[in-house]
Amino acid sequence: MARISGVNIPTGKRVVIALQYIHGIGQRYAGEICEKVGIPAERRVNQLTDADVLRIRETIDHDYQVEGDLRREVAMNIKRLMDLGCYRGLRHRRNLPVRGQRTHTNARTRKGPAKAIAGKKKAAR
């Protein structure tokens, strides 16, 4: 089992798919990495040599921000918005949708399960 950037890569999958298990590497970057290293797209992880894995690891470490560093940067960006007190920061602070979605009826993923309001049905008459 190959281990790249602290993530165990699945061995039976193609390299382009397996690299996407690393946080911060999507379809586009996985293709770029395989192209830079010179690995064919249809090659599987269990067919890679140790030298191939080392070249992939070095390329990712040198050219891309992944896993812990990326998570830390995203968290710092959100914290900066909250400290500024801008609209997006306030939405993060209140745990509400940040990108303009409606909250009157939807947004249950962000707001959590619905809370019953006492006396709501009686007042509706």
Side-chain angles (χ1 to χ4, degrees):
M1 183 173 276
R3 188 167 175 86
I4 300 173
S5 299
V7 177
N8 290 332
I9 304 275
T11 53
K13 296 187 184 277
R14 293 186 304 133
V15 177
V16 179
I17 304 299
L19 284 175
Q20 294 177 37
Y21 279 70
I22 300 170
H23 180 76
I25 295 180
Q27 208 170 10
R28 179 174 155 229
Y29 284 156
E32 273 182 24
I33 291 166
C34 287
E35 204 172 288
K36 281 182 188 176
V37 176
I39 293 173
E42 63 276 354
R43 183 161 306 160
R44 307 233 169 220
V45 175
N46 54 11
Q47 297 170 340
L48 292 176
T49 63
D50 289 338
D52 290 338
V53 174
L54 186 64
R55 285 200 315 249
I56 291 172
R57 193 177 293 139
E58 287 172 351
T59 304
I60 290 173
D61 288 344
H62 187 264
D63 297 338
Y64 300 95
Q65 190 173 25
V66 292
E67 285 298 327
D69 295 336
L70 182 62
R71 291 179 204 270
R72 195 173 306 111
E73 183 179 335
V74 170
M76 291 301 294
N77 289 342
I78 292 171
K79 187 178 182 319
R80 177 180 53 82
L81 289 171
M82 290 185 342
D83 291 344
L84 283 173
C86 65
Y87 182 76
R88 280 174 59 201
L90 294 176
R91 302 299 281 182
H92 274 291
R93 206 180 294 161
R94 293 180 188 157
N95 210 18
L96 291 168
V98 178
R99 298 185 178 183
Q101 296 92 333
R102 68 178 292 138
T103 57
H104 180 71
T105 55
N106 297 329
R108 277 291 139 223
T109 302
R110 188 78 177 165
K111 290 166 72 174
K115 299 164 195 79
I117 300 170
K120 177 83 172 180
K121 282 190 177 174
K122 200 177 282 185
R125 288 183 185 184

